[in-house]
Amino acid sequence: VSSLVNWTNHRGDNLLHIACSTTKKQHYCSKVIDKCTLHQQHRNVLVTTKNVDGDTPLLLWLKTLDPSTLDENRSLLDLFQYIR
């Protein structure tokens, strides 16, 4: 699990960054959070890692919010509150 949590691509994006930038945010974010947040340390790394643009996964998700998907936005926010 630690290798998955600490993995980043060439832009510094971790798995949660990538999940937040897909079109199926709810599906992929929930999978990453369920599988990779066994310990508080893992949660902290996933949530606080910044990419080369200085964005955390939550900030990246907020930049791509779609107002037409209000229910999905609420459920994703609940997921982010869960890992904090």
Side-chain angles (χ1 to χ4, degrees):
V1 172
S2 291
S3 61
L4 288 175
V5 169
N6 293 317
W7 178 87
T8 59
N9 66 7
H10 66 282
R11 296 197 66 243
D13 294 331
N14 65 16
L15 291 177
L16 197 53
H17 279 101
I18 294 168
C20 287
S21 62
T22 64
T23 56
K24 294 183 177 182
K25 291 174 182 62
Q26 174 69 33
H27 175 75
Y28 291 118
C29 285
S30 64
K31 295 291 182 189
V32 169
I33 289 169
D34 287 343
K35 303 292 183 192
C36 297
T37 58
L38 300 175
H39 304 290
Q40 186 63 42
Q41 179 183 0
H42 294 156
R43 293 181 190 128
N44 292 343
V45 169
L46 279 174
V47 172
T48 60
T49 299
K50 293 183 179 180
N51 64 12
V52 296
D53 298 325
D55 297 337
T56 62
L58 180 60
L59 184 59
L60 186 65
W61 171 67
L62 289 172
K63 286 181 175 182
T64 61
L65 275 181
D66 182 8
S68 65
T69 57
L70 188 59
D71 290 335
E72 181 180 331
N73 294 341
R74 283 186 183 147
S75 59
L76 272 170
L77 188 58
D78 290 342
L79 277 174
F80 274 103
Q81 288 177 340
Y82 164 75
I83 56 177
R84 280 312 217 154

Coordinates of all heavy atoms in Angstrom, one line a residue:
V1 N 0.8 -1.2 0.0 CA 0.0 0.0 0.0 C 0.9 1.3 0.0 O 0.6 2.2 -0.7 CB -1.0 0.0 1.2 CG1 -1.7 1.3 1.3 CG2 -1.9 -1.1 1.1
S2 N 2.0 1.2 0.7 CA 2.8 2.4 0.8 C 3.4 2.8 -0.6 O 3.5 4.0 -0.9 CB 4.0 2.2 1.7 OG 3.5 2.1 3.1
S3 N 3.7 1.8 -1.4 CA 4.2 2.1 -2.7 C 3.1 2.8 -3.6 O 3.4 3.7 -4.4 CB 4.8 0.9 -3.4 OG 3.8 -0.1 -3.6
L4 N 1.9 2.4 -3.4 CA 0.8 3.1 -4.2 C 0.5 4.5 -3.7 O 0.3 5.4 -4.4 CB -0.5 2.2 -4.0 CG -0.6 0.9 -4.8 CD1 -1.9 0.2 -4.4 CD2 -0.5 1.2 -6.3
V5 N 0.6 4.6 -2.3 CA 0.4 6.0 -1.8 C 1.5 6.9 -2.2 O 1.2 8.1 -2.4 CB 0.3 5.8 -0.2 CG1 0.3 7.2 0.4 CG2 -1.0 5.1 0.2
N6 N 2.7 6.5 -2.2 CA 3.8 7.4 -2.5 C 4.1 7.5 -4.0 O 5.0 8.3 -4.4 CB 5.1 6.9 -1.8 CG 5.0 7.0 -0.3 OD1 4.5 8.0 0.2 ND2 5.4 5.9 0.4
W7 N 3.4 6.8 -4.9 CA 3.6 6.8 -6.3 C 3.2 8.2 -6.9 O 2.2 8.8 -6.5 CB 2.8 5.7 -7.0 CG 3.0 5.8 -8.5 CD1 4.0 5.2 -9.2 CD2 2.2 6.5 -9.4 NE1 3.8 5.4 -10.6 CE2 2.7 6.3 -10.7 CE3 1.1 7.3 -9.3 CZ2 2.2 6.8 -11.9 CZ3 0.5 7.8 -10.5 CH2 1.1 7.6 -11.7
T8 N 4.0 8.8 -7.7 CA 3.7 10.0 -8.5 C 4.1 9.8 -9.9 O 5.1 9.1 -10.2 CB 4.3 11.2 -7.9 OG1 5.7 11.1 -7.9 CG2 3.9 11.5 -6.5
N9 N 3.5 10.6 -10.8 CA 3.9 10.6 -12.2 C 4.9 11.7 -12.4 O 5.3 12.4 -11.5 CB 2.7 10.6 -13.1 CG 1.9 11.9 -13.1 OD1 2.4 12.9 -12.4 ND2 0.8 12.0 -13.7
H10 N 5.2 12.0 -13.7 CA 6.2 13.0 -14.0 C 5.8 14.4 -13.6 O 6.6 15.3 -13.5 CB 6.6 12.9 -15.5 CG 5.4 13.3 -16.4 ND1 4.4 12.4 -16.7 CD2 5.2 14.4 -17.0 CE1 3.6 13.0 -17.5 NE2 4.0 14.2 -17.7
R11 N 4.5 14.6 -13.4 CA 4.0 15.9 -13.0 C 3.8 16.1 -11.5 O 3.3 17.1 -11.0 CB 2.6 16.2 -13.7 CG 2.7 16.3 -15.2 CD 1.5 16.9 -15.8 NE 1.4 18.3 -15.4 CZ 0.4 18.9 -14.7 NH1 -0.6 18.1 -14.3 NH2 0.4 20.1 -14.4
G12 N 4.1 15.0 -10.8 CA 3.9 15.0 -9.3 C 2.6 14.6 -8.9 O 2.2 14.7 -7.7
D13 N 1.7 14.2 -9.8 CA 0.4 13.8 -9.4 C 0.4 12.4 -8.8 O 1.0 11.5 -9.3 CB -0.5 13.7 -10.7 CG -0.8 15.0 -11.3 OD1 -0.7 16.0 -10.6 OD2 -1.0 15.1 -12.6
N14 N -0.3 12.2 -7.6 CA -0.4 10.9 -7.0 C -1.7 10.3 -7.5 O -2.4 10.9 -8.4 CB -0.3 11.0 -5.5 CG -1.5 11.8 -4.9 OD1 -2.5 12.0 -5.5 ND2 -1.3 12.1 -3.6
L15 N -2.1 9.1 -7.0 CA -3.3 8.5 -7.5 C -4.6 9.3 -7.3 O -5.5 9.2 -8.1 CB -3.4 7.1 -6.8 CG -2.4 6.1 -7.2 CD1 -2.6 4.8 -6.4 CD2 -2.5 5.8 -8.7
L16 N -4.6 10.0 -6.2 CA -5.8 10.8 -5.9 C -5.9 12.0 -6.8 O -7.0 12.4 -7.2 CB -5.8 11.2 -4.4 CG -7.1 11.7 -3.8 CD1 -8.3 10.7 -4.1 CD2 -7.0 12.0 -2.4
H17 N -4.8 12.6 -7.2 CA -4.8 13.7 -8.2 C -5.4 13.2 -9.5 O -6.2 13.8 -10.1 CB -3.3 14.1 -8.5 CG -2.8 15.1 -7.6 ND1 -1.9 14.7 -6.6 CD2 -2.9 16.4 -7.4 CE1 -1.5 15.7 -5.9 NE2 -2.1 16.8 -6.4
I18 N -4.9 12.0 -9.9 CA -5.4 11.4 -11.2 C -6.9 11.1 -11.1 O -7.6 11.3 -12.0 CB -4.5 10.2 -11.6 CG1 -3.1 10.7 -11.8 CG2 -5.1 9.5 -12.7 CD1 -2.1 9.6 -12.0
A19 N -7.3 10.5 -10.0 CA -8.7 10.2 -9.8 C -9.6 11.4 -9.8 O -10.7 11.4 -10.4 CB -8.9 9.4 -8.5
C20 N -9.1 12.5 -9.3 CA -9.8 13.8 -9.3 C -9.9 14.5 -10.6 O -10.7 15.3 -10.8 CB -9.2 14.7 -8.3 SG -9.5 14.3 -6.6
S21 N -9.1 14.1 -11.5 CA -9.1 14.7 -12.8 C -9.7 13.9 -13.9 O -9.7 14.3 -15.1 CB -7.6 15.1 -13.3 OG -6.9 13.9 -13.4
T22 N -10.3 12.8 -13.6 CA -11.0 12.0 -14.6 C -12.5 12.4 -14.7 O -13.0 13.2 -13.9 CB -11.0 10.5 -14.2 OG1 -11.7 10.3 -13.0 CG2 -9.6 10.0 -14.0
T23 N -13.2 11.8 -15.6 CA -14.6 12.1 -15.8 C -15.4 11.3 -14.8 O -16.6 11.6 -14.5 CB -15.1 11.8 -17.2 OG1 -14.8 10.5 -17.5 CG2 -14.5 12.8 -18.2
K24 N -14.9 10.2 -14.3 CA -15.6 9.3 -13.3 C -15.0 9.6 -11.9 O -14.5 8.6 -11.3 CB -15.5 7.9 -13.7 CG -16.2 7.5 -15.0 CD -16.1 6.0 -15.2 CE -16.8 5.6 -16.4 NZ -16.8 4.2 -16.7
K25 N -15.0 10.8 -11.5 CA -14.4 11.2 -10.2 C -14.9 10.4 -9.0 O -14.1 9.9 -8.2 CB -14.6 12.7 -9.9 CG -13.8 13.6 -10.8 CD -14.2 15.0 -10.6 CE -13.6 16.0 -11.5 NZ -13.9 15.8 -12.9
Q26 N -16.2 10.3 -8.9 CA -16.8 9.5 -7.8 C -16.3 8.1 -7.7 O -15.8 7.6 -6.7 CB -18.3 9.6 -7.9 CG -19.0 8.7 -6.9 CD -18.9 9.3 -5.5 OE1 -18.9 10.5 -5.3 NE2 -18.9 8.5 -4.5
H27 N -16.3 7.4 -8.8 CA -15.9 6.0 -8.9 C -14.4 5.9 -8.5 O -14.1 5.1 -7.6 CB -16.1 5.5 -10.3 CG -15.7 4.1 -10.5 ND1 -16.3 3.0 -10.0 CD2 -14.6 3.6 -11.1 CE1 -15.6 1.9 -10.3 NE2 -14.6 2.2 -11.0
Y28 N -13.5 6.6 -9.2 CA -12.1 6.4 -9.0 C -11.6 6.9 -7.6 O -10.8 6.3 -7.0 CB -11.3 7.0 -10.1 CG -11.5 6.3 -11.4 CD1 -12.0 6.8 -12.5 CD2 -11.1 4.9 -11.5 CE1 -12.2 6.1 -13.7 CE2 -11.3 4.2 -12.6 CZ -11.8 4.8 -13.7 OH -12.0 4.1 -14.9
C29 N -12.1 8.1 -7.2 CA -11.7 8.6 -5.9 C -12.1 7.7 -4.7 O -11.4 7.4 -3.8 CB -12.4 10.0 -5.6 SG -11.6 11.3 -6.6
S30 N -13.3 7.1 -4.8 CA -13.8 6.2 -3.8 C -12.9 4.9 -3.8 O -12.6 4.4 -2.7 CB -15.2 5.8 -3.9 OG -15.5 5.1 -5.1
K31 N -12.5 4.4 -4.9 CA -11.6 3.3 -5.0 C -10.2 3.6 -4.4 O -9.7 2.8 -3.6 CB -11.4 2.8 -6.4 CG -12.6 2.3 -7.1 CD -13.1 1.0 -6.5 CE -14.3 0.5 -7.2 NZ -14.9 -0.6 -6.6
V32 N -9.7 4.7 -4.7 CA -8.3 5.1 -4.2 C -8.4 5.3 -2.6 O -7.6 4.8 -1.9 CB -7.8 6.4 -4.8 CG1 -6.6 6.9 -4.1 CG2 -7.5 6.1 -6.3
I33 N -9.5 5.9 -2.2 CA -9.6 6.2 -0.8 C -9.9 4.9 0.0 O -9.3 4.7 1.1 CB -10.8 7.2 -0.5 CG1 -10.3 8.6 -1.0 CG2 -11.2 7.3 0.9 CD1 -11.4 9.6 -1.1
D34 N -10.7 4.0 -0.5 CA -11.0 2.7 0.1 C -9.7 1.9 0.2 O -9.5 1.2 1.2 CB -12.1 2.0 -0.6 CG -13.5 2.6 -0.4 OD1 -13.6 3.4 0.5 OD2 -14.4 2.2 -1.2
K35 N -9.0 1.8 -0.8 CA -7.8 0.9 -0.9 C -6.5 1.4 -0.3 O -5.7 0.6 0.2 CB -7.5 0.5 -2.4 CG -8.7 -0.1 -3.1 CD -9.0 -1.5 -2.6 CE -10.2 -2.0 -3.4 NZ -10.7 -3.2 -2.8
C36 N -6.4 2.7 -0.3 CA -5.1 3.3 0.1 C -5.0 4.1 1.4 O -4.0 4.7 1.7 CB -4.6 4.2 -1.1 SG -4.3 3.3 -2.6
T37 N -6.1 4.1 2.1 CA -6.1 4.9 3.3 C -6.2 4.1 4.6 O -7.1 4.3 5.5 CB -7.2 6.0 3.3 OG1 -8.5 5.4 3.1 CG2 -7.0 7.0 2.2
L38 N -5.4 3.1 4.7 CA -5.4 2.2 5.9 C -5.0 2.9 7.1 O -5.4 2.6 8.2 CB -4.6 1.0 5.6 CG -5.0 0.1 4.4 CD1 -4.1 -1.0 4.2 CD2 -6.5 -0.4 4.6
H39 N -4.0 3.8 7.0 CA -3.4 4.5 8.1 C -3.5 6.0 7.9 O -3.6 6.4 6.8 CB -1.9 4.1 8.3 CG -1.7 2.6 8.4 ND1 -2.1 1.9 9.5 CD2 -1.2 1.7 7.6 CE1 -1.8 0.6 9.3 NE2 -1.2 0.5 8.2
Q40 N -3.5 6.7 9.0 CA -3.6 8.2 9.0 C -2.4 8.7 8.1 O -2.6 9.7 7.4 CB -3.5 8.8 10.4 CG -3.8 10.3 10.4 CD -5.1 10.7 9.8 OE1 -6.1 10.0 10.1 NE2 -5.2 11.7 9.0
Q41 N -1.2 8.1 8.2 CA -0.1 8.6 7.5 C -0.4 8.5 5.9 O 0.0 9.4 5.2 CB 1.2 7.8 7.8 CG 2.4 8.2 7.0 CD 3.6 7.3 7.3 OE1 3.5 6.4 8.1 NE2 4.7 7.6 6.7
H42 N -1.0 7.4 5.5 CA -1.4 7.3 4.1 C -2.4 8.3 3.7 O -2.3 8.9 2.6 CB -2.0 5.9 3.8 CG -1.0 4.8 4.0 ND1 -1.4 3.5 4.3 CD2 0.4 4.7 4.0 CE1 -0.3 2.7 4.4 NE2 0.8 3.5 4.2
R43 N -3.3 8.6 4.5 CA -4.3 9.6 4.2 C -3.7 11.0 4.1 O -3.9 11.7 3.1 CB -5.4 9.7 5.4 CG -6.2 8.5 5.5 CD -7.2 8.7 6.6 NE -7.9 7.5 6.8 CZ -8.0 6.9 8.0 NH1 -7.5 7.5 9.1 NH2 -8.6 5.7 8.1
N44 N -2.7 11.3 5.0 CA -2.1 12.6 4.9 C -1.3 12.7 3.7 O -1.3 13.8 3.0 CB -1.1 12.8 6.2 CG -1.9 12.9 7.4 OD1 -3.1 13.2 7.4 ND2 -1.2 12.7 8.5
V45 N -0.6 11.7 3.3 CA 0.3 11.8 2.0 C -0.6 12.0 0.8 O -0.4 12.8 0.0 CB 1.1 10.5 1.9 CG1 1.8 10.4 0.5 CG2 2.2 10.5 3.0
L46 N -1.7 11.2 0.7 CA -2.6 11.3 -0.5 C -3.2 12.7 -0.6 O -3.3 13.3 -1.6 CB -3.7 10.3 -0.4 CG -3.3 8.9 -0.9 CD1 -4.5 7.9 -0.6 CD2 -3.0 8.9 -2.3
V47 N -3.6 13.3 0.6 CA -4.4 14.5 0.5 C -3.4 15.7 0.4 O -3.8 16.7 -0.2 CB -5.3 14.6 1.8 CG1 -5.9 16.0 1.9 CG2 -6.3 13.6 1.8
T48 N -2.3 15.7 1.0 CA -1.4 16.9 1.0 C -0.3 16.9 0.0 O 0.3 18.0 -0.2 CB -0.7 17.0 2.4 OG1 0.1 15.8 2.6 CG2 -1.7 17.1 3.5
T49 N -0.2 15.9 -0.8 CA 0.9 15.9 -1.9 C 0.5 17.0 -2.9 O -0.7 17.0 -3.4 CB 1.0 14.5 -2.6 OG1 1.4 13.6 -1.6 CG2 2.0 14.6 -3.7
K50 N 1.4 17.8 -3.3 CA 1.2 18.8 -4.3 C 1.9 18.4 -5.6 O 3.0 17.8 -5.6 CB 1.8 20.2 -3.9 CG 1.0 20.8 -2.7 CD 1.6 22.1 -2.3 CE 0.8 22.7 -1.2 NZ 1.3 24.0 -0.8
N51 N 1.2 18.7 -6.7 CA 1.8 18.4 -8.0 C 2.7 19.6 -8.5 O 2.9 20.5 -7.7 CB 0.7 18.1 -9.1 CG -0.2 19.2 -9.3 OD1 0.0 20.4 -9.0 ND2 -1.3 18.9 -10.0
V52 N 3.2 19.6 -9.7 CA 4.1 20.6 -10.1 C 3.4 22.0 -10.2 O 4.1 23.0 -10.2 CB 4.8 20.3 -11.5 CG1 5.7 19.1 -11.4 CG2 3.7 20.1 -12.6
D53 N 2.1 22.0 -10.3 CA 1.4 23.3 -10.3 C 1.0 23.8 -8.9 O 0.4 24.8 -8.8 CB 0.1 23.1 -11.1 CG 0.3 22.8 -12.6 OD1 1.3 23.2 -13.1 OD2 -0.5 22.0 -13.1
G54 N 1.4 23.0 -7.9 CA 1.1 23.4 -6.5 C -0.3 23.0 -6.1 O -0.7 23.5 -5.0
D55 N -0.9 22.2 -6.8 CA -2.3 21.8 -6.5 C -2.3 20.5 -5.7 O -1.7 19.5 -6.0 CB -3.1 21.5 -7.7 CG -3.3 22.8 -8.6 OD1 -3.2 23.9 -8.0 OD2 -3.6 22.7 -9.8
T56 N -3.1 20.5 -4.6 CA -3.4 19.2 -3.9 C -4.6 18.6 -4.6 O -5.3 19.2 -5.4 CB -3.8 19.5 -2.4 OG1 -5.0 20.3 -2.4 CG2 -2.7 20.2 -1.7
P57 N -4.9 17.3 -4.3 CA -6.0 16.7 -5.0 C -7.4 17.4 -4.8 O -8.2 17.5 -5.7 CB -6.1 15.3 -4.4 CG -4.7 15.0 -4.0 CD -4.1 16.3 -3.5
L58 N -7.6 17.9 -3.6 CA -8.8 18.6 -3.3 C -8.9 19.9 -4.1 O -10.0 20.2 -4.7 CB -9.0 19.0 -1.8 CG -10.2 19.7 -1.4 CD1 -11.5 18.9 -1.7 CD2 -10.2 20.0 0.1
L59 N -7.8 20.6 -4.2 CA -7.8 21.9 -5.0 C -8.0 21.5 -6.5 O -8.8 22.2 -7.2 CB -6.5 22.6 -4.8 CG -6.4 24.0 -5.5 CD1 -7.5 24.9 -5.1 CD2 -5.0 24.6 -5.3
L60 N -7.4 20.5 -7.0 CA -7.6 20.1 -8.4 C -9.1 19.7 -8.6 O -9.6 20.1 -9.6 CB -6.7 18.9 -8.7 CG -6.7 18.4 -10.1 CD1 -6.1 19.4 -11.0 CD2 -5.9 17.1 -10.2
W61 N -9.7 19.0 -7.7 CA -11.1 18.7 -7.8 C -12.0 19.9 -7.8 O -12.9 20.1 -8.6 CB -11.5 17.7 -6.7 CG -13.0 17.5 -6.6 CD1 -13.7 16.8 -7.6 CD2 -13.9 17.9 -5.6 NE1 -15.1 16.8 -7.2 CE2 -15.2 17.5 -6.0 CE3 -13.7 18.6 -4.4 CZ2 -16.3 17.7 -5.2 CZ3 -14.8 18.8 -3.7 CH2 -16.1 18.4 -4.1
L62 N -11.7 20.9 -6.9 CA -12.5 22.1 -6.9 C -12.4 22.9 -8.2 O -13.3 23.5 -8.6 CB -12.0 22.9 -5.7 CG -12.4 22.4 -4.3 CD1 -11.7 23.2 -3.2 CD2 -13.9 22.4 -4.1
K63 N -11.2 22.9 -8.8 CA -11.0 23.6 -10.1 C -11.9 23.0 -11.2 O -12.2 23.7 -12.1 CB -9.6 23.6 -10.5 CG -8.7 24.5 -9.7 CD -7.3 24.4 -10.2 CE -6.3 25.4 -9.5 NZ -5.0 25.3 -10.1
T64 N -12.2 21.7 -11.1 CA -12.9 21.1 -12.2 C -14.4 20.8 -11.8 O -15.0 19.9 -12.5 CB -12.2 19.8 -12.6 OG1 -12.2 18.9 -11.4 CG2 -10.8 20.0 -13.0
L65 N -14.9 21.4 -10.8 CA -16.3 21.2 -10.4 C -17.3 21.5 -11.5 O -17.1 22.5 -12.2 CB -16.7 22.0 -9.2 CG -16.3 21.5 -7.8 CD1 -16.8 22.4 -6.7 CD2 -16.9 20.1 -7.6
D66 N -18.3 20.7 -11.6 CA -19.3 20.9 -12.6 C -20.6 21.1 -11.8 O -21.1 20.3 -11.1 CB -19.5 19.7 -13.5 CG -20.5 19.9 -14.6 OD1 -21.1 21.0 -14.7 OD2 -20.8 18.9 -15.3
P67 N -21.2 22.4 -11.9 CA -22.4 22.7 -11.1 C -23.6 21.8 -11.5 O -24.5 21.6 -10.7 CB -22.7 24.1 -11.5 CG -21.5 24.6 -12.2 CD -20.7 23.5 -12.7
S68 N -23.6 21.2 -12.6 CA -24.7 20.3 -13.0 C -24.7 19.0 -12.3 O -25.7 18.3 -12.3 CB -24.8 20.1 -14.5 OG -23.6 19.4 -14.9
T69 N -23.6 18.6 -11.6 CA -23.6 17.3 -10.9 C -23.5 17.6 -9.4 O -22.6 17.1 -8.7 CB -22.3 16.5 -11.4 OG1 -21.2 17.3 -11.2 CG2 -22.4 16.2 -12.9
L70 N -24.5 18.2 -8.9 CA -24.5 18.6 -7.5 C -24.5 17.4 -6.6 O -23.7 17.4 -5.6 CB -25.8 19.4 -7.2 CG -25.9 20.1 -5.8 CD1 -24.7 21.0 -5.6 CD2 -27.2 20.8 -5.7
D71 N -25.2 16.3 -6.8 CA -25.2 15.2 -6.0 C -23.8 14.5 -5.9 O -23.3 14.1 -4.9 CB -26.2 14.2 -6.4 CG -27.6 14.7 -6.1 OD1 -27.8 15.5 -5.2 OD2 -28.6 14.2 -6.8
E72 N -23.2 14.4 -7.1 CA -21.8 13.8 -7.2 C -20.8 14.7 -6.4 O -20.0 14.2 -5.7 CB -21.4 13.6 -8.6 CG -20.0 13.0 -8.7 CD -19.6 12.9 -10.2 OE1 -20.4 12.7 -11.1 OE2 -18.4 12.9 -10.4
N73 N -21.0 16.0 -6.6 CA -20.1 16.9 -5.8 C -20.2 16.7 -4.3 O -19.2 16.7 -3.6 CB -20.4 18.4 -6.2 CG -20.1 18.7 -7.7 OD1 -19.3 17.9 -8.3 ND2 -20.7 19.7 -8.2
R74 N -21.4 16.6 -3.9 CA -21.7 16.4 -2.4 C -21.0 15.1 -1.9 O -20.4 15.0 -0.9 CB -23.1 16.4 -2.1 CG -23.7 17.8 -2.1 CD -25.2 17.8 -1.6 NE -25.7 19.1 -1.7 CZ -26.9 19.4 -2.0 NH1 -27.8 18.4 -2.2 NH2 -27.4 20.6 -2.1
S75 N -21.2 14.0 -2.7 CA -20.7 12.8 -2.2 C -19.2 12.8 -2.3 O -18.5 12.1 -1.4 CB -21.3 11.6 -3.1 OG -21.0 11.8 -4.4
L76 N -18.6 13.4 -3.2 CA -17.1 13.5 -3.3 C -16.6 14.3 -2.1 O -15.6 14.0 -1.5 CB -16.6 14.1 -4.6 CG -16.4 13.1 -5.7 CD1 -16.2 13.8 -7.0 CD2 -15.3 12.2 -5.4
L77 N -17.3 15.4 -1.8 CA -16.9 16.2 -0.6 C -17.0 15.4 0.7 O -16.1 15.5 1.5 CB -17.7 17.5 -0.5 CG -17.3 18.5 0.5 CD1 -15.9 18.9 0.3 CD2 -18.2 19.7 0.5
D78 N -18.0 14.6 0.8 CA -18.1 13.7 1.9 C -16.9 12.7 2.0 O -16.4 12.4 3.0 CB -19.4 12.9 1.9 CG -20.6 13.7 2.1 OD1 -20.5 14.8 2.7 OD2 -21.7 13.3 1.8
L79 N -16.4 12.2 0.8 CA -15.3 11.3 0.8 C -14.0 12.1 1.3 O -13.2 11.5 2.1 CB -15.0 10.8 -0.6 CG -15.8 9.6 -1.1 CD1 -15.5 9.4 -2.6 CD2 -15.4 8.4 -0.3
F80 N -13.8 13.3 0.8 CA -12.7 14.1 1.3 C -12.7 14.4 2.8 O -11.7 14.4 3.4 CB -12.5 15.4 0.5 CG -11.8 15.2 -0.8 CD1 -12.5 15.1 -2.0 CD2 -10.4 15.1 -0.8 CE1 -11.8 14.9 -3.2 CE2 -9.7 14.9 -2.0 CZ -10.4 14.8 -3.2
Q81 N -13.9 14.6 3.3 CA -14.1 14.8 4.7 C -13.8 13.6 5.5 O -13.2 13.6 6.6 CB -15.5 15.3 5.1 CG -15.7 16.8 4.6 CD -17.1 17.2 4.9 OE1 -18.0 16.4 5.0 NE2 -17.3 18.5 4.9
Y82 N -14.1 12.4 4.9 CA -13.8 11.1 5.6 C -12.4 10.9 5.8 O -11.9 10.4 6.8 CB -14.4 10.0 4.7 CG -13.9 8.6 5.1 CD1 -14.4 8.0 6.3 CD2 -13.0 8.0 4.3 CE1 -13.9 6.7 6.6 CE2 -12.5 6.8 4.6 CZ -12.9 6.1 5.8 OH -12.4 4.9 6.1
I83 N -11.5 11.3 4.8 CA -10.1 11.0 4.9 C -9.4 12.0 5.7 O -8.2 11.8 6.1 CB -9.4 10.8 3.5 CG1 -9.6 12.0 2.6 CG2 -9.9 9.5 2.9 CD1 -8.9 11.9 1.3
R84 N -10.0 13.1 6.1 CA -9.3 14.1 6.9 C -9.5 13.6 8.3 O -9.1 13.6 9.3 CB -9.9 15.5 6.8 CG -9.4 16.2 5.6 CD -7.9 16.1 5.5 NE -7.3 17.2 5.0 CZ -6.1 17.6 5.4 NH1 -5.4 16.9 6.2 NH2 -5.5 18.6 4.8

